[in-house]
Amino acid sequence: MTETPLPPVLAEIRDDFLALGERDRLQLLLEFSRELPEIPVRYQSAPGLLERVEECQSPVRAFAEIDGEQRVHLYATAPAEAPTTRGFASILAQGLDGLTPQEVLDVPDDYPLSLGLTNAVSPLRLNGMSGILTRAKRQVREQLAAA
Amino acid sequence: MPAALDTSSPKINEYAHPERLVTSSWLAEHLGDPDLVVVESDEDVLLYETGHIPGAVKIDWHTDLNDPEVREFITGAQFATLLGSKGIGPDTTIVIYGDKNNWWAAYAAWLFTIYGHADVRLLDGGRNLWVAEGRELTTDVPAPEAVDYPATERDDVTYRAFKEDVLAHIGQGPLVDIRSFPEYTGERLHIPDYPEEGVLRGGHIPTARNVPWATAVAEDGTYKSRDELQGIYQAGGLGLTDDDAIITYCRIGERSSHTWFALHFLLGLENVRNYDGSWTEWGNAVRVPIAKGEEPGELAA
């Protein structure tokens, strides 16, 4: 069995983190937190459509959506006072954007652990990112099943 | 020489140890004091980087204060090195603040106390109040000159309780469980949104009574007045007295540090220990007694 290669944006993000020393990795995560895009208007007016990610210590809501072209987009929102969570959501929003549903499902579940953040952030906090990824995959599966 | 005391607040002056709390206005006026170092300690590891109180240094509970291998805090020697590197000497006044109503700040205050640092204070209301008042924040990270902090011994006896201590304590003195009510009854294993510290069993330590940590704070996140705290924890409430040996616990010891601080420093109860192993240890331990439901329960004969 050959391993599915990591989608290019996710691979690039991982390599960017690993190229840095541990302190600078936190800075990069902070930059990601600032880049988390606003959620589309249709979700802003109906935040219930976004699912709460229980693994995150701070309230984050996220939803992975398959568009008409069979491409996935992850939308997420988290408060400004939760920059770590915003950073996690931002990495996945950028890294998963435009992938096919199968490509999203093939992303390794341990991707969050591959960023070299375990010491700088702590394993407990990294669980929040795994929680967002796990939910995104389930949401994709549910939409595939309903199609 | 320690920094001056905040005597500006009638509420703070009422506490048993008014020297342990400062108001945001006092701190704003004393930010440049040579004998004072402000420490931010947060749940969110990046929050300090988005902006902090000018001159404040960051100490993170997960990455700075814990041993990376063993589930234990750093050694006294490591603590001395850490504080020295932040420009803190043994005589420095430390004012700690943080997010989430000072949970992690109170945890740091408890830890700094058991490492023997003399002058540890909390910013009443924490980071939220400072921000809500529109006070200054900066992203400038100070580069303090390292100072000498002599190696210290952590005192694991006076204010810290281990699982074995708690087992021996059941039936001997009050236990205060400061988690949410559904956690206490065992209906749920974690507070909403915090399932990450997995446990296998729900419920509480037999005889423990439940006073969620938030009971101790006012709407703006500051501690309630001494009168109000007495009504909650002493006569008319839990009934704790000066003669009691008391143990507090929660999930991992951070919220119970917040209550420990209130019981010990604000109400002046002498003998209060925090069980930092808390429910993530107890709820996973083999053959320890557990009570379920709304009643405190008894120690099984």
Side-chain angles (χ1 to χ4, degrees), chain B residues 267-289:
Chain B
L267 291 177
L269 298 170
E270 275 306 312
N271 191 350
V272 189
R273 286 179 291 168
N274 183 30
Y275 169 40
D276 57 279
S278 274
W279 199 256
T280 48
E281 178 177 51
W282 199 272
N284 286 321
V286 176
R287 287 217 304 199
V288 297

Side-chain angles (χ1 to χ4, degrees), chain B residues 67-123:
Chain B
D67 183 280
E69 310 295 335
V70 180
R71 185 177 171 190
E72 173 60 297
F73 303 119
I74 54 176
T75 65
Q78 289 169 318
F79 177 78
T81 306
L82 173 70
L83 264 63
S85 75
K86 305 289 182 186
I88 299 170
D91 299 326
T92 306
T93 296
I94 302 177
V95 174
I96 315 179
Y97 74 102
D99 62 358
K100 302 276 174 176
N101 279 297
N102 272 343
W103 289 358
W104 304 90
Y107 208 158
W110 170 73
L111 258 178
F112 286 16
T113 302
I114 69 174
Y115 285 109
H117 193 89
D119 191 356
V120 182
R121 311 179 191 179
L122 277 184
L123 170 63

Side-chain angles (χ1 to χ4, degrees), chain A residues 26-27 29-30 34 52 54-59 80-85 119-122 124-125 127, chain B residues 42-47 49-50 58 60-64 99-100 104 188 190 192-197 251:
Chain A
L26 272 187
Q27 282 301 320
L29 185 60
L30 184 62
R34 295 187 181 122
R52 185 160 195 146
E54 295 279 340
E55 285 83 351
C56 285
Q57 295 201 332
S58 298
E81 64 269 20
T84 302
T85 302
N119 289 332
V121 169
S122 90
L124 269 181
R125 288 165 169 150
N127 282 352
Chain B
D42 292 321
E43 178 177 288
D44 192 298
V45 70
L46 277 178
L47 194 53
E49 279 78 5
T50 68
K58 167 186 175 178
D60 185 75
W61 183 82
H62 286 277
T63 61
D64 289 325
D99 62 358
K100 302 276 174 176
W104 304 90
R188 62 185 307 160
H190 53 79
D193 310 322
Y194 285 72
E196 70 286 355
E197 291 112 5
R251 263 178 330 135

Side-chain angles (χ1 to χ4, degrees), chain B residues 144-162:
Chain B
E145 205 167 308
V147 300
D148 188 42
Y149 197 112
T152 163
E153 288 269 327
R154 195 180 61 232
D155 174 354
D156 284 340
V157 176
T158 310
Y159 299 124
R160 188 179 188 194
F162 295 101

Side-chain angles (χ1 to χ4, degrees), chain B residues 170 206-207 289 297-301:
Chain B
I170 299 174
T207 73
E298 301 292 330
L299 178 60

